[in-house]
Amino acid sequence: MPALLLLMAKKLVVMIACHFIGDYPLQMDWMAKLKGKDSHALFAHVMTYTSVFALLMLVPWMDMSIQAIALICVSHAIIDPLKARWKLFGLFVDQSLHIGILIFCVLMGWV
């Protein structure tokens, strides 16, 4: 059991690193500025963000599933406009929701 928990923790750390890579350095300035107003900018950001996770499918021990990729993609496309366009919450809630999705994927065994 401890080995399984350690593997899950390792996977979650990798997932969180992918989240911050996809949500910050890979998000171009134009995406960040326009994703709340322009669906093309939002789409570009969501696809760029999701591609970081899709690359994990090439890492055998990560066991990244298509269910995880789909949930990460769709949830990001829902959460980001709620913050950027409709301003329903701030950065802390935004990041908490994204990381909560990653935790859910690991707990479901989709990663």
Side-chain angles (χ1 to χ4, degrees):
M1 188 65 160
L4 177 61
L5 290 177
L6 187 59
L7 180 60
M8 289 173 75
K10 185 177 175 182
K11 288 179 177 186
L12 184 59
V13 167
V14 170
M15 298 279 284
I16 291 171
C18 286
H19 163 71
F20 284 111
I21 289 167
D23 220 18
Y24 291 99
L26 293 183
Q27 181 174 210
M28 303 291 115
D29 286 341
W30 68 270
M31 292 176 192
K33 289 176 185 168
L34 296 176
K35 71 181 178 183
K37 303 172 196 154
D38 180 347
S39 60
H40 293 98
L42 176 64
F43 179 79
H45 169 59
V46 170
M47 291 299 106
T48 303
Y49 176 84
T50 304
S51 68
V52 177
F53 293 94
L55 287 173
L56 291 180
M57 294 180 93
L58 302 173
V59 180
W61 63 267
M62 280 297 293
D63 296 321
M64 180 64 77
S65 71
I66 196 70
Q67 294 96 323
I69 298 295
L71 180 61
I72 290 165
C73 180
V74 171
S75 66
H76 207 81
I78 293 169
I79 293 168
D80 271 23
L82 294 177
K83 175 184 168 275
R85 181 172 296 165
W86 294 295
K87 311 216 184 307
L88 294 181
F89 43 76
L91 182 64
F92 179 78
V93 171
D94 173 69
Q95 294 302 302
S96 298
L97 290 170
H98 291 311
I99 291 171
I101 294 294
L102 303 180
I103 292 168
F104 179 79
C105 289
V106 170
L107 291 176
M108 289 298 293
W110 294 348
V111 179

